[in-house]
Amino acid sequence: MNSQPRRVENIQTDRGSVPVYTTAVIEQPWEDYSDIDHDVWRQLYARQRKVLPGRACDAFLRAQDTMRMTPDRIPKFSELNKILGDTTGWQIIGVEGLLPELDFFTHLANRRFPVTWWIRRPDQIDYIAEPDLFHDLFGHVPPLMDKDFADYLVAYGQGGVKAHGLGQDALMQLARLYWYTVEFGLMREHGQMRIYGAGIASSAGESVYSVESASPNRIAFDLERIMRTRYRIDSYQKTYFVIDSYEQLIEATRPDFTPIYRQVAQQPLLAAGSVLDSDTVYQRGTGEGWPDDGDV
Ligand code: HBI
Ligand code: FE
């Protein structure tokens, strides 16, 4: 199910101007999913639910159960929206894929999370570069059931709308914050490293690597540090940033970012694998298997 017409638009990212596919909000064409589509969901869901206990934070797994995401067929957005709306006021909306930043921020600021309606093909079970339904729904939606995380993402969207008028430095700094929290965040829980980021939680390989491998750095969350840190889009992360609770994200986004952007822009960018004397380091990565270059 990959056949809807797509409109190509250019947006500014860390890598300069890149084409993205955009369309308007669309109703989930649930009746049109094939048996193969449902089977891809079933396989991915079963695998991740085996991998995540003891690796994902408690709130993540609890939320997935509470929402009653169906293990055997692709969940209906309309059904998830009832419980999500009652719990934190968030809603899922169907989209074709990546949205221009301002559209994306505007949705978040209004408690709407864009979820890609189509699911990857069977030959893409292990890896797909662009976000699909499994990544968006399985990875991004459970944290929205938590009040603090839900509020953080609203604040992030509001910050994004504002940053859009401030220029490219601010937008890139915000993108790094999103990357190292919403996509690839870890949380300390029960004295262990636990996953809350959607990019990790939707990947079988990175779910294990992020919390168990000796290769990556695991460093305490620090807003300005993160805003300076480049990242990988084509390999496992070299560094994960670790929060103690979702409240910490809320606290960090309470101040006005405008002076922070200016401050951060005056400091040098940091490589994805760098470690500073000022970092609180939980684990200094061995760097084994790291690609030499290619940070975004
Ligand atoms: N659009 N649908 C969708 N999902 C995203 O995660 C997303 C996006 N557009 C832009 C975007 N992410 C990035 O710019 C983030 O860094 C904000
Ligand atoms: Fe994502």
Side-chain angles (χ1 to χ4, degrees):
M1 292 230 21
N2 237 327
S3 56
Q4 287 231 333
R6 292 170 161 198
R7 192 157 52 92
V8 180
E9 252 175 56
N10 289 309
I11 61 163
Q12 298 301 320
T13 72
D14 277 19
R15 310 183 98 189
S17 176
V18 300
V20 292
Y21 305 107
T22 62
T23 58
V25 172
I26 45 188
E27 197 175 330
Q28 182 188 27
W30 196 87
E31 300 298 336
D32 295 344
Y33 292 127
S34 67
D35 290 347
I36 293 173
D37 292 330
H38 288 298
D39 201 55
V40 167
W41 170 269
R42 188 180 309 129
Q43 280 185 55
L44 285 165
Y45 188 93
R47 181 166 70 178
Q48 281 316 91
R49 289 295 305 211
K50 240 185 232 148
V51 170
L52 290 181
R55 295 195 176 95
C57 67
D58 293 341
F60 187 96
L61 293 166
R62 215 185 316 120
Q64 233 163 30
D65 292 336
T66 312
M67 295 191 82
R68 291 194 294 275
M69 280 193 184
T70 43
D72 53 330
R73 58 191 167 85
I74 295 170
K76 290 185 178 165
F77 296 174
S78 57
E79 287 177 5
L80 299 178
N81 274 340
K82 285 180 206 144
I83 187 151
L84 189 55
D86 286 345
T87 309
T88 59
W90 273 79
Q91 294 285 280
I92 299 165
I93 53 169
V95 294
E96 181 66 38
L98 283 176
L99 301 176
E101 273 169 330
L102 189 55
D103 291 10
F104 182 63
F105 293 142
T106 303
H107 285 309
L108 299 185
N110 291 292
R111 290 188 188 256
R112 295 188 299 262
F113 196 86
V115 170
T116 305
W117 69 268
W118 55 268
I119 195 159
R120 69 192 74 179
R121 299 188 310 261
D123 60 294
Q124 297 169 315
I125 289 260
D126 288 324
Y127 181 76
I128 179 169
E130 54 185 326
D132 74 331
L133 180 137
F134 185 74
H135 168 79
D136 284 341
L137 196 55
F138 185 97
H140 280 292
V141 173
L144 298 174
M145 293 282 282
D146 182 281
K147 186 188 178 301
D148 289 328
F149 185 89
D151 290 347
Y152 166 64
L153 209 53
V154 173
Y156 182 87
Q158 291 167 337
V161 171
K162 189 166 156 191
H164 214 263
L166 296 176
Q168 207 49 36
D169 279 349
L171 283 175
M172 281 157 51
Q173 292 168 27
L174 264 193
R176 296 185 196 109
L177 176 62
Y178 190 88
W179 191 261
Y180 281 117
T181 59
V182 178
E183 294 289 357
F184 291 96
L186 294 181
M187 184 188 296
R188 274 202 308 177
E189 196 175 67
H190 312 303
Q192 292 177 321
M193 294 292 160
R194 294 285 179 91
I195 298 157
Y196 73 91
I200 309 175
S202 59
S203 156
E206 195 152 2
S207 289
V208 177
Y209 175 89
S210 65
V211 292
E212 286 170 25
S213 171
S215 295
N217 302 312
R218 298 189 186 87
I219 296 173
F221 175 89
D222 176 325
L223 180 71
E224 295 184 30
R225 159 60 153 112
I226 288 175
M227 285 178 154
R228 295 170 58 197
T229 309
R230 301 167 74 192
Y231 54 84
R232 312 286 317 180
I233 59 166
D234 57 352
S235 69
Y236 295 158
Q237 300 307 303
K238 294 181 177 181
T239 299
Y240 299 93
F241 289 95
V242 185
I243 60 173
D244 286 316
S245 70
Y246 286 140
E247 279 169 19
Q248 198 179 352
L249 296 176
I250 296 274
E251 287 306 315
T253 41
R254 225 183 276 287
D256 179 7
F257 277 11
T258 314
I260 300 177
Y261 295 139
R262 221 173 293 127
Q263 160 94 9
V264 168
Q266 281 159 11
Q267 296 174 288
L269 283 186
L270 299 169
S274 59
V275 176
L276 307 179
D277 288 342
S278 52
D279 288 335
T280 300
V281 181
Y282 297 123
Q283 144 122 358
R284 170 113 205 191
T286 61
E288 195 188 328
W290 283 3
D292 290 336
D293 54 14
D295 291 2
V296 164

